């Protein structure tokens, strides 16, 4: 049994490109009524951008007001301008987001996002008052070549080197091994803990004030494996994809994060 952690755990649902108006309503009502009494875990939902305003209204209109927070899945690094189709940090903040996922492997792989672009997004998020959830992770081939630590370190360095230590204290890291995302293959608690410990050591080398940043694990987290992962000393909760769309699974994952 690992020692109790002093850091507050986070469970963040990344809904990806799933949902409908009716589905957002049903999922959020179920989460609000079941999770409201749990104050010890910070629960965040990240619906698709078109449903953020609806989600914000449901959360703000709940009585008592739900402790669930809202995040976006992406942002554009400029505050405004001629960027057709894009959404800025100040706009996300304006409609009630307080978090934003940045550098997800799907955006890196499918939309060609580079480390440099991701670094600009981290900076823009912090300037807009949003907490960036910075995703890091290696491919299967990189793991097999024993390059996990190198890859994760390079991604981390590139994303935070331009932002001040003071502002990055608001950051959250999500370690998401690409081979574990949506595959049903979860990193073992031991494998994940080794990478989390490494990330925390690197943050702390950069500045001791960064040592307590939440570091979440993502990649095929389910109610059945969450407790073992979250019990590891450097795993402060999870970034949940598929299982965040099922309210019973997600609620049980949130309960697994209670110390
Ligand atoms: P799965 O939980 O579906 O593997 O997705 C993880 C993820 O990508 C969360 O951002």
């Amino acid at each position: 049994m690992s020692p109790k952690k002093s850091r507050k755990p986070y469970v963040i649902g990344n809904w990806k490109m799933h949902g409908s108006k009716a589905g957002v309503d049903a999922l959020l009502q179920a989460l609000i009524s079941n999770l409201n009494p749990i104050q010890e875990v910070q629960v965040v939902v990240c619906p698709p951008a078109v449903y953020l305003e609806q989600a914000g209204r449901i959360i703000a209109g709940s009585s008592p007001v739900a402790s669930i927070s809202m995040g976006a899945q992406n942002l554009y690094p400029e505050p405004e301008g001629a960027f057709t189709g894009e959404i800025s940090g100040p706009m996300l903040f304006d409609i009630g987001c307080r978090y934003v996922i940045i550098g997800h492997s799907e955006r890196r792989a499918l939309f060609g996002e580079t480390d440099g672009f991701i670094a600009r997004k981290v900076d823009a998020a912090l300037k807009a008052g949003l907490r960036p959830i910075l995703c890091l992770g290696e491919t299967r081939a990189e793991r097999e070549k024993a390059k996990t630590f190198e890859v994760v370190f390079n991604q981390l360095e590139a994303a935070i080197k331009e932002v001040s230590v003071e502002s990055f204290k608001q950051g959250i890291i999500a370690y998401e091994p690409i081979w574990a995302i949506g595959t049903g293959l979860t990193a073992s608690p031991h494998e994940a803990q080794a990478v989390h410990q490494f990330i925390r050591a690197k943050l702390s080398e950069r500045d001791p004030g960064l040592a307590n940043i939440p570091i979440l694990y993502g990649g095929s987290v389910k109610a059945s494996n969450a407790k073992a992962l979250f019990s590891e000393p450097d795993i402060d909760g999870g970034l949940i994809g598929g299982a965040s769309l099922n309210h019973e699974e997600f609620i049980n994952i949130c309960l697994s994060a209670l110390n």
Side-chain angles (χ1 to χ4, degrees):
M1 196 62 189
S2 54
K4 280 189 188 260
K5 287 171 271 196
S6 55
R7 294 180 297 276
K8 184 170 186 169
Y10 287 73
V11 177
I12 302 181
N14 176 7
W15 295 1
K16 306 194 180 181
M17 199 175 73
H18 294 289
S20 61
K21 281 208 294 194
V24 167
D25 193 59
L27 182 50
L28 268 177
Q29 299 295 359
L31 297 185
I32 287 168
S33 51
N34 286 281
L35 293 175
N36 241 7
I38 303 167
Q39 301 293 327
E40 299 87 349
V41 179
Q42 181 60 60
V43 178
V44 182
V45 291
C46 302
V50 286
Y51 299 123
L52 285 170
E53 189 167 14
Q54 179 194 353
R57 257 189 281 112
I58 295 170
I59 295 168
S62 57
S63 174
V65 175
S67 52
I68 296 174
S69 289
M70 190 169 74
Q73 298 175 17
N74 186 27
L75 89 174
Y76 191 74
E78 294 297 329
E80 63 179 349
F83 303 104
T84 302
E86 295 297 322
I87 301 173
S88 74
M91 290 172 181
L92 295 173
F93 189 89
D94 191 31
I95 59 159
C97 290
R98 294 297 175 263
Y99 298 82
V100 59
I101 298 170
I102 295 179
H104 193 281
S105 61
E106 286 151 16
R107 296 216 57 90
R108 292 178 193 259
L110 302 174
F111 302 98
E113 293 198 5
T114 61
D115 282 339
F117 194 49
I118 289 163
R120 286 177 57 207
K121 290 186 175 199
V122 170
D123 187 42
L126 290 166
K127 286 187 172 133
L130 299 166
R131 297 187 66 182
I133 303 157
L134 172 65
C135 302
L136 314 171
E138 81 287 2
T139 62
R140 174 182 290 282
E142 287 162 345
R143 176 162 279 265
E144 280 166 2
K145 286 190 214 135
K147 288 193 176 297
T148 298
F149 293 109
E150 182 186 328
V151 168
V152 165
F153 176 69
N154 289 340
Q155 290 172 341
L156 177 68
E157 268 299 294
I160 69 172
K161 67 174 191 266
E162 306 294 345
V163 297
S164 72
V165 164
E166 207 40 52
S167 63
F168 200 67
K169 284 182 184 163
Q170 292 304 312
I172 294 176
I173 304 285
Y175 168 57
E176 297 207 310
I178 295 167
W179 49 272
I181 295 177
T183 58
L185 296 171
T186 319
S188 70
H190 181 74
E191 284 170 328
Q193 164 59 22
V195 181
H196 282 234
Q197 188 176 25
F198 171 79
I199 294 169
R200 196 175 305 288
K202 290 297 161 195
L203 286 167
S204 153
E205 266 172 38
R206 186 175 180 85
D207 189 281
L210 298 181
N212 272 319
I213 281 184
I215 306 178
L216 316 183
Y217 170 79
S220 298
V221 178
K222 302 182 270 288
S224 58
N225 59 24
K227 186 88 201 164
L229 286 157
F230 299 168
S231 300
E232 290 292 334
D234 289 297
I235 301 183
D236 303 321
L239 180 56
I240 320 299
S244 70
L245 299 168
N246 175 313
H247 72 267
E248 282 174 2
E249 273 287 304
F250 190 67
I251 290 162
N252 282 324
I253 293 170
C254 294
L255 294 174
S256 305
L258 287 169
N259 267 325

